[in-house]
Structures are given as C-alpha cells and as structure tokens.
C-alpha cells in the first residue's frame, strides 16, 4: 500500500517542469486538425496528449482513454500512428468523437459539394424569379 506520507514526500521532491503548462500556446495553437470543431468542458490541450504519447509510447502501441470526452486522445493517437480506443458515458461526447476521427472519402465530399452547389444555384434562381 502506498503511504500518504510517501506520496506527499514525492510531490515535495518532484521538480516542477513549467514546460508542461504550455503557457505559450494560444487558443488557435490548440485548435488544429479537428480539435477546434467545438467546445467541451475540461478538454485536454492536444499538445499534452502528443507529448505524453511521444514520451511513453511508440508507433503501433495501443492507447486507451477511459474518460475520452470529445476525443482529443483519439485524434492525437491517430495522427501519431497509435491505435486507440476511448470510453465515455456521455453520448454527445461519443458523437463528437466519431465526427472528429471518422475519415471521409474525398470523392464522396467532392460529390456532395457539387450537389450542394447545384441546389444553391437552383435556390438562387427560384429566389430571383419571385
Ligand atoms: C474532463 S472530461 C475529458 C475530456 C477529454 N480529456 C477531452 O480532451 O475531451 C471527462 C469525461 O469523463 C466522462 N465520464 C465521467 N464519468 C464517467 C464514467 N463513469 N464512465 C465513462 N466516462 C465518464 C465525462 O462524460 C467527460 O466527458
């Protein structure tokens, strides 16, 4: 059993590394790829995840986040070539995560975009007729 006293002692002797505060990072710096799609309470700064993954894992290692939230860990794991899984009790968090990590076929996007443009043109034509 870990003694409370020894844990407190450990905290006293552990040197604080201010670089883990990422105080130089702006909101824009933390919103790259899909990280900026939305807000979520107590999100990780993605740089924390990538630094931890860099330090403690290698490409191919499996990463698990049992409180996955909106998927910061999964996005960073994917980028860094680590397979990963997350769990979250909140279905909205799961939905956001899926939206952030699901790859979309570029051909499908192109098709949808063309369809959207056509519908927009038709809509504008109809509006002008009135
Ligand atoms: C601080 S948030 C995690 C945020 C995450 N690190 C991110 O960057 O998006 C904590 C998450 O734990 C989830 N949670 C709380 N209790 C849980 C439980 N018993 N099982 C699974 N998830 C839980 C909450 O729904 C919440 O999304």
């Amino acid at each position: 059993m870990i003694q409370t006293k020894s844990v407190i002692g450990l905290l006293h002797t552990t040197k604080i590394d201010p670089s883990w505060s990422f105080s130089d990072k702006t909101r824009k710096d933390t919103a790259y790829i899909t990280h900026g799609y939305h807000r979520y309470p107590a999100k990780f700064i993605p740089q924390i995840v990538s630094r931890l993954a860099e330090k403690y894992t290698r490409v191919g290692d499996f990463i698990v986040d049992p409180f996955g939230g909106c998927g910061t860990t999964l996005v960073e794991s994917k980028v860094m070539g680590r397979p990963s899984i997350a769990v979250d009790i909140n279905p909205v968090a799961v939905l956001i995560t899926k939206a952030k990590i699901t790859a979309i076929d570029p051909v499908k996007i192109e098709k949808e975009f063309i369809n959207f443009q056509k519908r927009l043109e038709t809509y504008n034509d109809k509006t002008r007729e009135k």
Side-chain angles (χ1 to χ4, degrees):
M1 195 178 106
I2 301 173
Q3 305 256 320
T4 313
K5 207 174 161 189
S6 66
V7 172
I8 291 170
L10 192 66
L11 289 174
H12 279 299
T13 54
T14 302
K15 199 168 169 280
I16 293 172
D17 176 356
S19 69
W20 282 96
S21 75
F22 295 95
S23 57
D24 60 320
K25 301 290 176 228
T26 62
R27 187 179 285 269
K28 197 175 167 202
D29 293 331
T30 61
Y32 57 90
I33 332 174
T34 57
H35 292 300
Y37 274 9
H38 58 89
R39 292 180 178 219
Y40 195 81
K43 260 206 280 193
F44 274 145
I45 291 174
Q47 284 84 358
I48 291 180
V49 181
S50 59
R51 189 162 162 191
L52 286 170
E54 193 66 52
K55 196 170 162 75
Y56 295 108
T57 69
R58 285 178 287 196
V59 170
D61 281 353
F62 205 84
I63 295 179
V64 178
D65 188 344
F67 299 94
C70 60
T72 312
T73 302
L74 298 199
V75 172
E76 286 303 302
S77 301
K78 198 171 183 131
V79 169
M80 297 176 76
R82 275 80 162 158
S84 61
I85 190 167
V87 174
D88 202 286
I89 202 167
N90 178 356
V92 175
V94 174
L95 180 68
I96 295 171
T97 300
K98 282 183 181 167
K100 285 167 70 180
I101 62 160
T102 304
I104 302 172
D105 178 3
V107 176
K108 200 175 168 187
I109 293 182
E110 183 72 29
K111 244 188 207 167
E112 288 299 324
F113 183 67
I114 292 167
N115 279 343
F116 177 70
Q117 275 182 319
K118 277 184 190 158
R119 282 175 53 205
L120 202 60
E121 281 163 20
T122 320
Y123 175 80
N124 282 339
D125 290 346
K126 278 180 186 164
T127 317
R128 273 189 223 116
E129 282 167 17
K130 285 181 185 171

